[in-house]
Amino acid sequence: MGTRTVNLTVNGQAVTREVEPRLLLVHFIREDLSLTGTHIGCDTTSCGACTIIMDGKAVKSCTIFAVQAEGRSIETIEDVAKDGLHPLQEGFWEKHGLQCGFCTPGMIMCSKAFLQENDQPTEAEIRWAISGNLCRCTGYVKIVEAIQYAAEKMHEKANQPTQVQEQEVVA
Amino acid sequence: MSDTEVRITTPPDVCGMGHRMKRKEDPRFIQGAGKFVDDIKLPGMLYLDIVRSPHAHAKILNIDASEALALPGVLAVITGKDLQAAGNLHWMPTLMSDTQMVLPIEKVVYYAQEVCAIVATTRYIAADAIELVKVDYEPLPPVMDPFEALKDKVIVRDDKEKKTNHVWHWEAGNKDATDEVFARSSKTIQQKMYIPRIHVSSIETCGMVASWDKINEHMTIYMTSQAPHAHRTVISLVSGIPENKIRVISPDIGGGFGGKVPVYPGYVCTIVASLVTGKPVKWIEDRSENLQADSFARDYHIDAQMSADENGNITGLRVKTLADDGAADAAANPSKFPAGLYSIGTGSYNMEAAHFEVDAAYTTKPPGGVAYRCSFRVTEAVHMIERMTDIMAHDLGEDPAAFRLKNFIRKEQFPYHSPTGWEYDSGDYHRALLLAMEMIGYEDLRKEQAEKRARGELMGIGISSFTEVVGAGPSKDFDILGIKMFDSCEIRVHPTGSALVRIGVQTQGQGHETTFAQIVAEELGLPASSIKVEHGDTDTAPYGLGTYASRSTPTAGAAAAMAARKIREKAKKIAAYLLEANEEDLEWDVNKFVVKGSPNRSKTIQEIAFAAYTNHPQGMEAGMEAVNYYDPPNLTFPFGSYICVVDIDKGTGEIKVRRFVAVDDCGNIINPLIVEGQIHGGLTMGLAPALFEEIVYDENGQNLSGTFMDYLLPTSMETPKWEVGKTVTPSPHHPIGAKGVGESPTVGAPPAIANAVVDALWHLGVRHLEIPITPQKVWKILRENGIDE
């Protein structure tokens, strides 16, 4: 089977690879790039374990061919912690939002994209946002609490005056 | 959840039992650094895929794999005949001492059965190749109904000497005494119920990487295993490879729920493929394969009778059951218990006599009988007794809560000897139900229900007051394939005061890396943060039977406490030496030995550990290590009371769980945060079979629920906001008074929900509804009763 060249940005790095056109993006991420934090839990786009962020939107990487990511920018769980844990990661840890940990990367990526759109969600909105991601261990209640924890923390941070602004106010 | 009753004896920096410690294992999972079986990538690794049967029952006339073998990248095709030639590996023993085909030669006996295996250089080529294998079948009549199966018109297992589909018969309790009680009781009820076949559906499917090292004749296996040591022993017995040449590693496991206890054909094929090719071979099930071929639970057809006297006291229980085993008895029950611990079915109620009979039948379905987060058939038993209790209460015109309170085993009756031979260790059933009633506002809800019913609205309240039986088990009764069901822990305290704890059980999300550290912290006073817990590698962990049936805390948890106490005994001798005091004059205080009456004269566990390697008494062995293999004296009996409120949409039959209060008592609590998580998860896996999940076959034996599009796991939208409470009744025989909790909610929740729905519809003449109670079933009843909106 022939190959195609695919160029994309993965976690901020430019990546070029030769791939079979039929290669699923999730296999490209896991096997060609060895980023195994993105998981596979079904074959019908039902479970969301493979959720990543592509150009700012949460997508299920099992239902996209690697070649369809041409020119796109994708983000996986491995790049979520920057200077320390992301508030969502903190939330999942603090609130016991995970047990076996298999669905967790997908849950975090899904909620990260969601909180970028809605940083003050209601419980019902959170439940709707993660309804495409299955968890078999937690019963979701503590996942919802984890996302609420992150939302509050991110909202607080976004609304804190920066030091520069404070100085300006003083001036 | 109020923490007021949780016993805490250590300060937060030690973080022993009772502390809400954040989990030590979480940082790797939240950053995508967990290591699951499919994340293992070895140099030169090949991939295995499986050709599966499109028939439930068919003769195999021919397998032509020539086109598949011609495909570039395909290295081998493995058939039943190849396995036979390799030393009769085409059959394997099940954990119930039955036999199961690895790959067939004569015929297939279930839809999606493994027919042959392909080994190729990539996952994609292996998948291409299975499409090229041509198998000629001659269809045989499927046997899908276990009652029909018992007529022996079509024999599923004609490989066996006895030409019958009847597998076994089992009884518990006293038949004559039960008949006598029924004969003199004023009220008897009877109800048939079916506990349908369901599927565990951990989000990670099953898989393996097998790596045969030809030069050293050593097999390394990464496996989705809940019981790595037991699996190593089975693999050694089946393959003939010496057990010291096999290393089974169960890395991070993406949920188990019983589905990763049995040995499946795919595992054996993978091991053989590595032996044949001399290369590492990976096999990972697709979800549809997982949902169609393995990890099935339940499938019990129950016919129950209950008797009561003129005062509304339950007097007896008589239960006949037909178990649908599928094509092999491949349950993972202890060998003396073919129907598991099903005879716990007298539940939380005091009664004079009970009798249970279970027969099992072969059908042309995949082997079933895994636990689905349940301690060996307890869920079936609890559903039966809680439904029967509710029907009896309604029939007698008594409130289901009052009826339970009247019939409960009383606190002072413990240890309680049940009519089927169990010795319940401890309990306070009244306290749990009364707390649940208080939390949910039971009396007000009954008033609300009466008002709504007068207005024609459908609201129901359901109760389940379950008794669990976990912690298998005492060696006199409990073994799997002859291996006694003890479990183990090894502790090494290092010179600088940190420690390594290795356990014979294997986490699949239960948080063992945290809870076992807390148990050892409780006993030794070392900070839990300085204790590393390892498991899952048979080369390093002590032998154990693994994690299922809520047995980790009752068995290995006890072993951890006992091993720590051995270390503390030695520490006392070293402290006496260092303090120049008599051992009898020392007392333990959280993390140090203190000379009685001289609080300034003490040695901390860290100081003692250092001395154990640098300044130990002459004549004493150096070091600070201990191992314990714990053989529990009895099982543990967690319990709880759940109350569920449902509202039913008269137009659609949709059932909304408005509230669900769960009061659990799992004895002493190691980590309340983790216990809450276990309860939430267990409740959700109780909601699932009550309302959504069922594996459905058509008359030809085709699985109609073989993907997540058709087999409905609860999502965040259906799962209610669980409300949990607790009572604490320690186990008197367990070293730390704990009982186990992972499965109680899965066991207790389904009848609470079913009872609530029936309660909402009782006035329409509904006595029972089979789970899953789908909107369609309710809608039909509403239409039959002329209720239309």
Side-chain angles (χ1 to χ4, degrees), chain B residues 171-192:
Chain B
E171 293 185 27
N174 187 325
K175 183 174 189 306
D176 294 342
T178 306
D179 290 346
E180 190 271 318
V181 163
F182 268 78
R184 70 172 147 81
S185 293
S186 58
K187 170 79 184 170
T188 61
I189 56 166
Q190 180 169 16
Q191 181 64 51
K192 290 185 181 180

Side-chain angles (χ1 to χ4, degrees), chain B residues 416-440:
Chain B
Y416 170 78
H417 293 270
S418 85
T420 52
W422 302 107
E423 183 187 308
Y424 296 11
D425 57 349
S426 63
D428 188 345
Y429 300 157
H430 292 84
R431 188 159 69 124
L433 178 54
L434 290 170
L435 176 59
M437 290 167 72
E438 184 192 320
M439 281 175 68
I440 207 156

Side-chain angles (χ1 to χ4, degrees), chain B residues 29-55:
Chain B
F29 294 123
I30 55 180
Q31 297 181 81
K35 202 73 165 168
F36 297 91
V37 172
D38 198 15
D39 302 339
I40 308 289
K41 196 156 133 186
L42 300 178
M45 191 169 74
L46 305 174
Y47 293 82
L48 182 135
D49 209 337
I50 291 172
V51 176
R52 293 177 183 276
S53 168
H55 300 284

Side-chain angles (χ1 to χ4, degrees), chain B residues 488-554:
Chain B
S488 60
C489 176
E490 176 196 289
I491 303 173
R492 297 180 186 179
V493 182
H494 306 314
T496 51
S498 58
L500 173 64
V501 172
R502 285 168 164 162
I503 50 180
V505 291
Q506 164 62 22
T507 189
Q508 314 117 41
Q510 293 89 341
H512 290 175
E513 289 166 45
T514 307
T515 50
F516 280 79
Q518 287 184 267
I519 294 170
V520 174
E522 175 79 13
E523 297 290 334
L524 290 181
L526 294 170
S529 60
S530 70
I531 298 168
K532 177 179 167 190
V533 177
E534 286 187 356
H535 47 83
D537 183 340
T538 57
D539 264 13
T540 55
Y543 202 101
L545 271 280
T547 293
Y548 41 86
S550 288
R551 66 184 298 279
S552 294
T553 296

Side-chain angles (χ1 to χ4, degrees), chain A residues 22 27 31 99 127 136, chain B residues 23 41 123 693 716 719:
Chain A
R22 65 174 178 172
H27 286 137
E31 297 184 7
Q99 289 180 28
R127 283 180 176 263
R136 196 59 157 167
Chain B
R23 298 203 319 172
K41 196 156 133 186
R123 220 185 267 267
E693 293 178 10
S716 52
T719 308

Side-chain angles (χ1 to χ4, degrees), chain B residues 450-686:
Chain B
E451 288 162 15
K452 285 199 165 154
R453 190 165 286 177
R455 289 202 300 269
E457 291 175 43
L458 299 172
M459 166 191 167
I461 304 159
I463 303 175
S464 165
S465 293
F466 65 92
T467 292
E468 251 274 61
V469 49
V470 305
S475 62
K476 65 177 161 48
D477 291 325
F478 287 85
D479 69 87
I480 287 185
L481 289 176
I483 305 166
K484 302 295 187 183
M485 296 186 74
F486 57 83
D487 225 293
S488 60
C489 176
E490 176 196 289
I491 303 173
R492 297 180 186 179
V493 182
H494 306 314
T496 51
S498 58
L500 173 64
V501 172
R502 285 168 164 162
I503 50 180
V505 291
Q506 164 62 22
T507 189
Q508 314 117 41
Q510 293 89 341
H512 290 175
E513 289 166 45
T514 307
T515 50
F516 280 79
Q518 287 184 267
I519 294 170
V520 174
E522 175 79 13
E523 297 290 334
L524 290 181
L526 294 170
S529 60
S530 70
I531 298 168
K532 177 179 167 190
V533 177
E534 286 187 356
H535 47 83
D537 183 340
T538 57
D539 264 13
T540 55
Y543 202 101
L545 271 280
T547 293
Y548 41 86
S550 288
R551 66 184 298 279
S552 294
T553 296
T555 59
M562 299 306 275
R565 287 174 196 178
K566 281 191 197 176
I567 287 179
R568 210 163 74 186
E569 278 306 302
K570 181 169 184 178
K572 191 175 192 182
K573 290 184 172 37
I574 297 173
Y577 168 74
L578 297 174
L579 292 163
E580 296 178 352
N582 288 325
E583 276 182 58
E584 309 82 73
D585 295 333
L586 297 182
E587 59 187 2
W588 178 252
D589 178 24
V590 181
N591 62 350
K592 58 181 182 286
F593 277 108
V594 185
V595 179
K596 287 177 199 162
S598 308
N600 295 332
R601 291 181 64 205
S602 67
K603 287 288 172 190
T604 65
I605 187 73
Q606 288 86 352
E607 290 170 318
I608 298 167
F610 192 67
Y613 295 87
T614 59
N615 180 27
H616 61 287
Q618 289 301 304
M620 180 188 277
E621 278 183 48
M624 255 195 142
E625 300 184 10
V627 61
N628 181 268
Y629 285 75
Y630 188 78
D631 184 0
N634 188 8
L635 298 158
T636 58
F637 296 77
F639 61 93
S641 270
Y642 296 168
I643 306 181
C644 172
V645 183
V646 298
D647 297 304
I648 295 176
D649 184 313
K650 287 191 288 182
T652 62
E654 194 188 351
I655 299 156
K656 184 171 170 49
V657 176
R658 188 205 309 174
R659 287 186 68 192
F660 195 108
V661 163
V663 173
D664 270 277
D665 192 319
C666 58
N668 283 336
I669 288 175
I670 301 164
N671 182 325
L673 187 66
I674 286 178
V675 167
E676 281 167 25
Q678 289 293 304
I679 292 169
H680 285 185
L683 291 171
T684 308
M685 287 185 82

Side-chain angles (χ1 to χ4, degrees), chain A residues 1 20 22-25 27-28 30-47 49 77-81 84-85 88-90 92-105 108 123-124 126-142 144-145 148, chain B residues 20 22-27 29-36 38-39 41 47 122-125 128 199-205 252-255 257 282 286-289 372-373 508-510 673-678 680-682 684-685 688 693 706-709 711 713-722:
Chain A
M1 197 168 278
E20 281 188 26
R22 65 174 178 172
L23 181 69
L24 295 175
L25 181 58
H27 286 137
F28 176 74
R30 289 180 46 81
E31 297 184 7
D32 293 45
L33 305 182
S34 296
L35 295 168
T36 57
T38 303
H39 298 148
I40 301 168
C42 74
D43 41 24
T44 49
T45 324
S46 307
C47 81
I77 185 69
E78 285 86 352
D79 201 40
V80 171
L85 294 177
L88 272 163
Q89 292 171 315
E90 277 179 34
F92 273 74
W93 194 7
E94 289 288 337
K95 298 294 178 185
H96 191 23
L98 65 146
Q99 289 180 28
C100 80
F102 196 79
C103 76
T104 311
I108 289 177
E123 183 190 329
I126 293 173
R127 283 180 176 263
W128 174 246
I130 60 167
S131 61
N133 291 59
L134 294 174
C135 171
R136 196 59 157 167
C137 299
T138 64
Y140 303 103
V141 174
K142 288 182 181 293
V144 171
E145 287 173 14
Q148 284 169 330
Chain B
R20 294 176 71 90
K22 274 164 46 180
R23 298 203 319 172
K24 289 158 69 82
E25 45 269 81
D26 285 1
F29 294 123
I30 55 180
Q31 297 181 81
K35 202 73 165 168
F36 297 91
D38 198 15
D39 302 339
K41 196 156 133 186
Y47 293 82
T122 74
R123 220 185 267 267
Y124 283 61
I125 293 172
D128 288 341
H199 188 275
V200 300
S201 293
S202 52
I203 305 298
E204 178 199 38
T205 60
D252 288 325
I253 298 298
F257 314 116
K282 177 185 276 189
D286 291 340
R287 171 59 59 192
S288 46
E289 294 180 286
Y372 191 100
R373 198 172 185 153
Q508 314 117 41
Q510 293 89 341
L673 187 66
I674 286 178
V675 167
E676 281 167 25
Q678 289 293 304
H680 285 185
T684 308
M685 287 185 82
E693 293 178 10
T707 75
F708 278 163
M709 307 292 275
Y711 188 77
L713 272 59
T715 73
S716 52
M717 299 303 286
E718 294 82 36
T719 308
K721 193 167 183 175
W722 306 112

